[in-house]
Structure formats: structure tokens, C-alpha cells
Amino acid sequence: LAISSMFSSFLRFGRRFESPLLWQSIIMIITMLLMLKLCTEVRVSNELNVKRRSFAAADSKDEEFKAPPKRSYLDFDLNYFWHWSKFTDYVQCVLTFTGVTGYITYLWLDSSIFVETLGFLAVFTEAMLGVPQLYRNYQNRSTEGMSVKMVLMWTSGDTFKTGYFILNQAPFQFSICGLLQVFVDMAILLQVYLYRYSPQKPVSHPAHPASTKAL
């Protein structure tokens, strides 16, 4: 959602659209950062990491032997991407992504192909929001642990938003991917109906390679 909102914000420079959509993107970015801060604090408090992971540097301090920390810059281990130990690392990543994307947008702002592609990436990324949940439900043959009210709110909001796109003749990418997002929401609700009588299976959460659960 954060990435999608950033793409949408940059799209405004190349193709003007309704101001409420821009404000929605700004509010969404702020909301996602606050959620990242909360998730990071909760996860770190429940994990005993032998090795702390960072966006731009790795701290090789071994807590068991109290060895002095050794900093290694440009860590970028894909196994730990988006699983960093501090909220500031997420902020650094978001700022880096914003700077790089903003610079590329500035260079290619006059290209209609680039602008249209940017618009498509913005709404397509958001349209794929429910796909991980859809796939997990399919794997588990269960919707246990998923908030049905949340999905209903998704569906309602996406339906109104897609109607807004169509009625206000927003860029066609918005309408197409809005319809796709509504389809994904409806598919998740269908899973709730199909799996309502299925035996609930405990969902296993594999431990992170460099952490153990706190007692």
C-alpha cells in the first residue's frame, strides 16, 4: 500500500487527477508508516535476535558471547528484506525508494509511456493487496484468523472507489485495477463461505532463521 500510494503521488506530476485521490495517497503513506512502527516494536519485543538486521548495515554483534559489534554496510540480504530490527530502517528504505523513483520520474516526465506505466503500477500494486491473504486461505483451506469485517470494509471501499473512478473518468488504469481489486475481495469472501464448515487447522508460523520466540 505504501508503494502504491507513492506511485500514485508521482503520477500526479505527469497526469493530473482528482485531488481527493492525492490526499488519499498521502494519508495512506502516513498510515502505513505508523503501522510499520507498531509492527516492528511488537515483533522485536517478542524475538531474541542473535543478529540484528538493518536496511543499509548489518550488526554482527553476538549477544551470547558479548562480542563487540562489527558494522558491515550494504547488507541487503534478501532473506531479511523487510524484516529489519528498527523502524528507522524502514524509513530509510522508503526515503531511498522515494528519492530514486522521484528522480526517474523527473527524467521521464515527458514520456507518455512512462507516465501510463507509472499509473498502472500504482493501481496494480494496490489491486494485489488481497492476493497473499487469498493464497494463504487456499493453502490452509481455512479463513481462521482473518477478519471478515475487514474484508467487507475492503470490498465496500473498493466498490465505491471503483465507481468513483468510472464516473469521474479517472485514468483507465484506475478503473481496470479497481475492478480487479473488487474481484479479489469477492474471491476472499467466497472462501469464507466455502470454508465455513471446514475443520480449522492451526496455522504454523515458521520461526525466523535468526530468531527464537521469547519465553
Side-chain angles (χ1 to χ4, degrees), residues 1 8 12 27 58 73 92 96 112 114 140 156 172 205 207:
L1 275 174
S8 298
R12 187 94 191 287
I27 293 174
Y73 289 93
Q92 291 176 19
T96 301
S112 59
F114 174 81
N140 297 328
S156 300
F172 77 96
H205 298 283

Side-chain angles (χ1 to χ4, degrees), residues 27-210:
I27 293 174
M28 186 63 68
I29 293 172
I30 296 174
T31 303
M32 290 300 101
L33 288 175
L34 292 175
M35 289 186 65
L36 273 174
K37 185 176 187 301
L38 177 62
C39 291
T40 304
E41 291 175 351
V42 172
R43 188 183 70 246
V44 171
S45 66
N46 290 324
E47 292 182 351
L48 299 176
N49 293 323
V50 175
K51 186 175 183 180
R52 297 292 181 178
R53 289 290 174 169
S54 304
F55 168 65
D59 189 345
S60 61
K61 178 180 178 180
D62 191 324
E63 295 182 357
E64 181 178 357
F65 296 101
K66 305 297 182 180
K70 297 179 180 179
R71 302 292 288 180
S72 174
Y73 289 93
L74 299 179
D75 184 25
F76 296 119
D77 188 339
L78 293 179
N79 294 325
Y80 295 90
F81 183 80
W82 215 250
H83 196 87
W84 301 309
S85 305
K86 295 181 180 179
F87 172 67
T88 53
D89 294 305
Y90 293 94
V91 174
Q92 291 176 19
C93 181
V94 169
L95 291 177
T96 301
F97 178 83
T98 303
V100 173
T101 306
Y103 182 68
I104 295 175
T105 302
Y106 173 77
L107 294 178
W108 292 88
L109 198 57
D110 295 330
S111 172
S112 59
I113 296 178
F114 174 81
V115 172
E116 296 299 328
T117 301
L118 187 64
F120 174 77
L121 289 175
V123 288
F124 182 75
T125 303
E126 184 178 359
M128 293 293 101
L129 174 65
V131 172
Q133 184 67 61
L134 181 71
Y135 181 66
R136 173 172 290 184
N137 294 343
Y138 173 77
Q139 282 186 314
N140 297 328
R141 295 294 191 275
S142 170
T143 57
E144 184 181 12
M146 186 193 72
S147 173
V148 179
K149 292 181 180 179
M150 179 191 67
V151 180
L152 286 172
M153 292 179 65
W154 277 357
T155 307
S156 300
D158 294 337
T159 301
F160 285 122
K161 180 176 62 179
T162 303
Y164 178 85
F165 291 157
I166 296 174
L167 293 176
N168 286 273
Q169 297 181 342
F172 77 96
Q173 303 99 321
F174 284 68
S175 300
I176 298 275
C177 291
L179 291 172
L180 176 60
Q181 194 166 5
V182 172
F183 173 78
V184 174
D185 295 340
M186 296 299 294
I188 294 176
L189 290 176
L190 179 61
Q191 287 181 324
V192 175
Y193 175 78
L194 294 176
Y195 299 148
R196 69 190 188 284
Y197 296 125
S198 300
Q200 302 297 323
K201 300 185 300 182
V203 180
S204 60
H205 298 283
H208 196 271

